[in-house]
């Protein structure tokens, strides 16, 4: 009899907890059958013999709800406190990032941006030095062997231009200022056609290559700027870099950083790096590269959620982004942001953790797997 009593309490607790679970579940399940449950509960609610049971169920629900809310809050990362943007000064260069320009000495650059938080190998054979404050004022700089800036990148409103190009400029405005973008890049005896898909433009100006990325869902406005010295570009003998472990890790961490850089601009909690999920993600990238396919479902029929569970990763919400064939993590991230389904994962507030895994096929083309989740 006691067992029946407690089963009844649990059932009523589930009923009274409907505000917690009904809305998200209703997106996937027809909950019309609950109408009859409503009528049944209403009919018995006036029975004095069950009033005590209902009161206990309500108390039980309140305690569970409070514990659940406390758990969710404890697992979420708070949005960092906002920091001020740098005061941008006029520049004589085509572009300055955080008031840093190509050709500036490392010591002078770091007086403006501070010390790097991470070094990540890039496709040019140098390292991107990552500078930011909780991913705000996000800047990447590369230096040559003499400590001179030879590469810059940002996807935030911390750049200036002598030509007046800003984060609010459109593709047509950029082209009217900088002219016709390149359609190909010459590497040795090979001419590589640039597969821009109208999502970015590459311009050769003076002694630099400048890549301007656009948001095709926001009226083709500028989202990011990358500037590399022509000597740095020449250090990349082919369009795809020759992979090694450092490049693989560099691509993984950079995609993670760019994801957080996109989230912080939208006032979203930052994601935590998860090394265990990175292994799961890298295994899928390796599988796709080795077996020449590109899909969320692997050749064994496993979904991303199956693979995560198989590796012992617990989660209550999860998602996966895939990318393939981009020249670097910068191009991969910008491409994912221009795909609404992938962008939804990048900016989903419910996620709290991210693991990124990269692999390369025989043509040195990178495969990216990004597994998002929350516990």
């Amino acid at each position: 009899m006691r067992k029946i009593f407690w089963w009844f309490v649990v059932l009523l607790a589930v009923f009274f907890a409907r505000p917690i679970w009904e809305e998200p579940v209703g997106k996937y399940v027809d909950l019309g059958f609950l109408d009859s449950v409503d009528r049944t509960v209403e009919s018995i609610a006036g029975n004095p013999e069950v009033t005590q049971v209902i009161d206990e169920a309500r108390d039980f629900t309140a305690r569970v709800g409070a514990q659940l809310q406390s758990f969710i809050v404890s697992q979420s990362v708070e949005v960092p406190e906002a920091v001020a943007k740098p005061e941008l000064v006029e520049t004589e260069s085509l572009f300055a990032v955080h008031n840093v320009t190509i050709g500036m000495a490392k010591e002078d650059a770091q007086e403006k941006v501070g010390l790097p938080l991470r070094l990540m190998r890039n496709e040019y054979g140098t390292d991107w030095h990552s500078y930011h404050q909780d991913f705000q004022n996000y800047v990447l700089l590369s230096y040559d062997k003499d400590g001179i800036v030879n590469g810059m990148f940002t996807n935030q409103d911390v750049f200036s231009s002598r030509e007046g190009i800003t984060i609010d400029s459109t593709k047509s405005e950029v082209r009217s200022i900088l002219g016709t973008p390149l359609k190909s890049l010459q590497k040795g005896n090979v001419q590589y056609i640039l597969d821009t898909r109208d999502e970015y433009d590459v311009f050769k100006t003076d002694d630099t290559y400048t890549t301007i990325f656009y948001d095709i869902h926001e009226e083709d406005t500028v989202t990011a700027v990358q500037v590399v010295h022509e000597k740095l570009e020449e250090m990349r003998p082919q369009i795809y870099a020759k992979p090694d472990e450092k490049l693989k890790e560099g691509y993984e961490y950079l995609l993670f950083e760019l994801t957080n850089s996109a989230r912080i601009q939208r006032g979203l909690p930052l994601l935590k790096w998860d090394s265990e999920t990175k292994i799961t993600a890298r295994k899928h990238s390796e599988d796709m590269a080795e077996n020449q396919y590109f899909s969320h479902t692997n050749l064994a029929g496993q979904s991303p959620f199956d693979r995560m569970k198989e590796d012992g990763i617990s989660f209550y919400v999860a998602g996966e982004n895939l990318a393939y064939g981009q020249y670097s993590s910068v191009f991969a991230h910008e491409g994912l942001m221009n795909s609404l389904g992938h962008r939804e994962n990048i900016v989903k507030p419910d996620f709290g953790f991210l693991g990124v895994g990269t692999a390369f096929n025989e043509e040195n083309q990178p495969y990216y797997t990004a597994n998002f989740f929350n516990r």
Side-chain angles (χ1 to χ4, degrees):
M1 191 65 181
R2 190 65 178 171
K3 284 186 177 180
I4 295 176
F5 169 80
W6 280 111
W7 273 114
F8 189 48
V9 170
V10 171
L11 288 174
L12 286 175
V14 172
F15 175 79
F16 289 125
R18 280 175 61 181
I20 297 175
W21 56 264
E22 184 172 19
E23 182 177 351
V25 171
K27 296 178 182 179
Y28 308 102
V29 179
D30 181 5
L31 298 178
F33 70 91
L34 289 174
D35 293 339
S36 62
V37 178
D38 291 341
R39 291 191 294 271
T40 301
V41 172
E42 288 171 1
S43 67
I44 68 174
N47 189 328
E49 295 181 3
V50 298
T51 300
Q52 182 179 357
V53 176
I54 292 176
D55 290 340
E56 290 188 33
R58 291 184 187 275
D59 292 341
F60 177 76
T61 301
R63 290 196 301 272
V64 171
Q67 291 173 356
L68 177 60
Q69 184 179 23
S70 176
F71 172 78
I72 291 175
V73 170
S74 68
Q75 292 298 308
S76 300
V77 181
E78 294 183 2
V79 178
E81 184 178 346
V83 299
K85 293 182 180 180
E87 182 179 350
L88 302 178
V89 300
E90 292 186 5
T91 178
E92 297 181 359
S93 299
L94 180 59
F95 283 98
V97 174
H98 208 299
N99 297 320
V100 175
T101 58
I102 296 292
M104 182 176 289
K106 183 176 182 179
E107 294 77 10
D108 296 332
Q110 292 192 161
E111 283 185 6
K112 303 177 184 298
V113 296
L115 296 176
L117 299 180
R118 179 181 280 127
L119 273 62
M120 298 165 286
R121 184 59 47 89
N122 60 35
E123 66 270 30
Y124 303 106
T126 62
D127 291 327
W128 282 126
H129 293 60
S130 173
Y131 304 89
H132 59 87
Q133 296 164 281
D134 289 323
F135 295 97
Q136 299 169 78
N137 301 330
Y138 187 80
V139 173
L140 299 175
L141 297 179
S142 168
Y143 304 97
D144 66 15
K145 58 182 178 59
D146 297 318
I148 303 299
V149 176
N150 60 5
M152 311 183 299
F153 170 86
T154 186
N155 60 349
Q156 296 186 6
D157 187 15
V158 293
F159 67 87
S160 55
S161 168
R162 72 181 181 214
E163 302 296 340
I165 297 173
T166 70
I167 201 78
D168 296 318
S169 298
T170 64
K171 181 193 303 179
S172 60
E173 291 171 343
V174 171
R175 290 179 175 179
S176 68
I177 295 172
L178 299 183
T180 303
L182 298 178
K183 298 299 181 184
S184 62
L185 276 180
Q186 190 77 26
K187 295 290 183 180
N189 296 323
V190 180
Q191 188 176 56
Y192 294 92
I193 304 300
L194 296 173
D195 184 19
T196 67
R197 304 179 186 180
D198 286 327
E199 296 181 2
Y200 66 90
D201 286 329
V202 181
F203 301 94
K204 178 66 169 67
T205 53
D206 302 327
D207 55 358
T208 62
Y209 287 89
T210 300
T211 305
I212 310 292
F213 297 89
Y214 309 106
D215 189 331
I216 65 174
H217 302 295
E218 297 290 341
E219 300 180 344
D220 284 334
T221 49
V222 174
T223 62
V225 175
Q226 176 177 287
V227 184
V228 299
H229 194 277
E230 61 183 359
K231 291 183 178 179
L232 181 61
E233 182 60 54
E234 291 169 1
M235 292 175 63
R236 181 172 58 150
Q238 299 177 346
I239 199 71
Y240 291 109
K242 185 177 180 180
D244 56 23
E245 188 63 26
K246 285 187 176 181
L247 184 65
K248 187 181 297 185
E249 291 184 351
Y251 277 9
E252 291 168 345
Y253 281 118
L254 181 53
L255 191 59
F256 167 77
E257 289 203 355
L258 293 171
T259 300
N260 270 334
S261 179
R263 289 176 68 90
I264 199 65
Q265 293 181 76
R266 291 160 175 80
L268 297 172
L270 298 176
L271 301 177
K272 294 181 181 179
W273 175 259
D274 191 83
S275 56
E276 292 183 354
T277 312
K278 179 203 75 170
I279 297 173
T280 301
R282 185 183 282 193
K283 286 192 297 184
H284 186 57
S285 291
E286 291 172 346
D287 188 37
M288 290 190 294
E290 292 172 5
N291 294 289
Q292 300 180 355
Y293 74 95
F294 185 66
S295 174
H296 292 286
T297 303
N298 65 17
L299 300 181
Q302 292 179 310
S303 70
F305 316 111
D306 295 330
R307 295 190 293 271
M308 292 174 69
K309 290 178 181 177
E310 184 178 69
D311 287 347
I313 299 165
S314 60
F315 58 89
Y316 73 86
V317 60
E320 181 176 84
N321 279 354
L322 300 179
Y324 153 65
Q326 291 84 2
Y327 306 131
S328 73
S329 294
V330 167
F331 288 84
H333 171 74
E334 294 297 325
L336 290 168
M337 286 294 290
N338 273 327
S339 169
L340 289 179
H342 294 100
R343 183 194 292 223
E344 183 178 352
N345 279 338
I346 292 171
V347 300
K348 190 178 183 68
D350 296 343
F351 291 142
F353 300 87
L354 173 61
V356 180
T358 305
F360 300 83
N361 64 13
E362 293 181 353
E363 287 76 39
N364 296 337
Q365 296 171 319
Y367 285 73
Y368 296 90
T369 301
N371 289 137
F372 303 79
F373 70 101
N374 211 346
R375 298 187 177 96

